[in-house]
Amino acid sequence: MGAERDFAYGAAAGLLGDLFLGDPRRGHPVAAFGRASGAVERLLWRDHRGWGALHTAVCVGAAAGLGAAATRLVRPSRAASVALTAAATWAVVGGTTLGREARAVGQALEAGDVEAARARLPHLCGRDPQALDADGIARAVVESVAENTSDAVVGALVWGAVAGVPGLLGFRAVNTLDAMVGHRSVTYRRFGWAAARLDDVAGWPGARLTALLAVAGSGDAAGARGAVRAWRADAARHPSPNAGVVEAAFAGALGVRLGGTLSYAGRVERRPVLNGEGRAVGIADVERAVRLSRRVQWLALGASAGGALLRLRGRAASRAVPGRAARRAARRGDRPGRAGGAG
């Protein structure tokens, strides 16, 4: 019955750990998962959806199963349960690194060093940096910050609140697999199909919560109205069911236009414009996006931890009600078999 409380305390500690420590330079658990899933891919790869589904099931199942086994192992100790949740949260969220990389690109742009900004951009997203000018790089950064706020933080907290450590690790496994094999290249069009579709499903609640919190964290009434308007008008036009929601809400909250023409390794995509009423993204909007992302992350912690505690409280109340009813019945003398008199 204390699992929800353990999650609330552990998630808060893990997010603080990410804030102060960021990601490790070497030996990151997500990188270890990536290497392991790559080894499984080399064994299982076939140009077939079924083999890709097996690869996804093995990798995600292993991550969630490891979380379940660790949770069972530490269950007798409240302190160990909180520590495990904190460690898992710190391992799977990446808000501090996201902000750090975005600011590094923004600072290069502010200094007028577009080449340095282009060199740094691949740390954030897969855009072709050589096809972008300074404003295009700034737009790419803002879009990446918006999407990764959901993928790297909020989605993990949502699934952690639902399923504890297995939920945290399972969500990160799904999201990592999608980044590795869930794209539409010749190699992964079929093999990565299952990972991409599972990522769409797993990311659905986190993306909507991220958009909602972008409204709440926009800072003023105009930003909140803009976020709601862009979310409702433009999100469904985006090819991704989750990225469109988040990017539209961020665009409206920041008062900027996102979307348009994108280039990935020489492949050009023309995406719908999000929040067409907004202005073009400027270099200063990078910092504004990072600050909005950080507000959303802390609001997400409050929402997920608060939801877990409310679920605990509701379960405790439902268990207490029959006991109160029985005591009231006993005081009235209502015993089974008394109705209708003694035979």
Side-chain angles (χ1 to χ4, degrees), residues 100-110 117 120-121 124 137 141:
R100 181 184 299 143
E101 293 296 337
R103 282 178 168 137
V105 177
Q107 288 164 4
L109 292 175
E110 288 175 354
R120 196 84 187 197
L121 185 63
L124 275 174
I137 292 172
V141 171

Side-chain angles (χ1 to χ4, degrees), residues 15 17-23 93-101 153 294 297:
L15 206 59
D18 177 65
L19 176 64
F20 291 112
L21 301 176
D23 292 332
V93 302
T96 294
T97 297
L98 173 64
R100 181 184 299 143
E101 293 296 337
V153 182
R294 181 59 72 181
Q297 292 171 44

Side-chain angles (χ1 to χ4, degrees), residues 207-301:
R208 273 75 193 166
L209 179 59
T210 302
L212 185 63
L213 297 179
V215 175
S218 57
D220 55 47
R225 287 194 300 270
V228 172
R229 182 177 61 250
W231 179 3
R232 295 179 60 184
D234 300 328
R237 299 166 57 219
H238 196 282
S240 168
N242 297 326
V245 170
V246 176
E247 291 181 19
F250 264 64
L254 296 170
V256 300
R257 293 192 307 273
L258 298 179
T261 302
L262 292 76
S263 177
Y264 292 92
R267 177 172 52 88
V268 176
E269 291 186 14
R270 289 176 175 81
R271 293 185 179 176
V273 173
L274 306 176
N275 192 39
E277 299 178 8
R279 55 178 173 76
V281 175
I283 295 172
D285 293 313
V286 170
E287 178 63 26
R288 295 178 64 231
V290 170
R291 290 181 180 178
L292 175 58
S293 172
R294 181 59 72 181
R295 291 195 295 271
V296 167
Q297 292 171 44
W298 287 109
L299 288 170
L301 173 64

Side-chain angles (χ1 to χ4, degrees), residues 163-216:
V165 172
L168 288 166
L169 300 187
F171 176 82
R172 175 53 59 222
V174 170
N175 192 249
T176 303
L177 278 185
D178 178 60
M180 294 177 66
V181 304
H183 32 88
R184 299 176 181 176
S185 66
V186 173
T187 303
Y188 294 119
R189 183 176 290 112
R190 294 184 181 88
F191 185 80
W193 177 85
R197 298 292 76 76
L198 184 58
D199 184 66
D200 287 343
V201 173
W204 196 95
R208 273 75 193 166
L209 179 59
T210 302
L212 185 63
L213 297 179
V215 175

Side-chain angles (χ1 to χ4, degrees), residues 105 109 114 117-118 121 129 132-142 286:
V105 177
L109 292 175
V114 177
R118 286 182 177 135
L121 185 63
L132 300 172
D133 59 11
D135 290 340
I137 292 172
R139 176 166 64 87
V141 171
V142 171
V286 170

Side-chain angles (χ1 to χ4, degrees), residues 316-334:
S318 67
R319 291 181 180 181
V321 168
R324 291 198 298 268
R327 287 193 295 272
R328 287 196 297 270
R331 286 196 296 270
R332 293 196 304 267
D334 296 336

